[in-house]
Amino acid sequence: QVQLVESGGGSVQAGGSLTLSCVASGITFETLCMAWFRQASGKEREWVASAGSDGTTSYADSVKGRFTISQDNARNTLYLQMNSLKPEDTGMYYCAARDGPWCLSRPDGYNYWGQGTQVTVS
């Protein structure tokens, strides 16, 4: 069965850094688009970054230049390096996967989801 498990969340002060991890089982990144989404309390879930099977990476304007998405295919692990964190980055961060090489920024385009890891910036 497909499973995505996030880790690495926590509480940091503004300007700090965190690295999130997503370990996948039952699937391989080599045939999927992988992405990170986040959702703040009372707000819509929003796309943060994605990595296609062709190596293409994309970022939301709000995190561009501060966040980096990467993959370790041998370990089936997706990462999100977050630097210069701001209070508005606070939220539950979710790892997601979509069948096929084309990435989307809409959450309804993704087939598999992790349970999330909380990031709080104060």
Side-chain angles (χ1 to χ4, degrees), residues 17 20 88 100:
S17 299
L20 307 182
E88 50 263 45

Side-chain angles (χ1 to χ4, degrees), residues 67-80:
F67 291 11
T68 302
I69 187 171
S70 61
Q71 300 179 40
D72 184 339
N73 292 333
R75 295 180 171 85
N76 241 28
T77 302
L78 181 74
Y79 300 96
L80 184 67

Side-chain angles (χ1 to χ4, degrees), residues 28-33 53 98-101:
T28 174
F29 295 161
E30 296 176 350
T31 60
L32 300 172
C33 171
S53 60
R98 179 181 185 272
D99 290 321

Side-chain angles (χ1 to χ4, degrees), residues 3-117:
Q3 187 174 20
L4 303 175
V5 181
E6 303 96 334
S7 63
S11 298
V12 298
Q13 294 185 350
S17 299
L18 283 174
T19 299
L20 307 182
S21 300
C22 170
V23 178
S25 60
I27 56 173
T28 174
F29 295 161
E30 296 176 350
T31 60
L32 300 172
C33 171
M34 302 297 299
W36 288 97
F37 289 80
R38 67 187 182 188
Q39 187 169 20
S41 297
K43 297 183 178 180
E44 299 283 343
R45 185 163 49 188
E46 66 172 336
W47 171 73
V48 175
S50 59
S53 60
D54 62 354
T56 301
T57 58
S58 299
Y59 299 90
D61 288 341
S62 59
V63 306
K64 196 171 299 181
R66 299 188 297 120
F67 291 11
T68 302
I69 187 171
S70 61
Q71 300 179 40
D72 184 339
N73 292 333
R75 295 180 171 85
N76 241 28
T77 302
L78 181 74
Y79 300 96
L80 184 67
Q81 174 67 51
M82 305 184 294
N83 299 320
S84 302
L85 284 162
K86 306 174 181 179
E88 50 263 45
D89 294 318
T90 294
M92 185 71 73
Y93 282 69
Y94 298 92
C95 175
R98 179 181 185 272
D99 290 321
W102 301 282
C103 293
L104 300 173
S105 60
R106 303 195 314 272
D108 60 359
Y110 288 79
N111 307 97
Y112 313 108
W113 293 87
Q115 296 301 305
T117 184

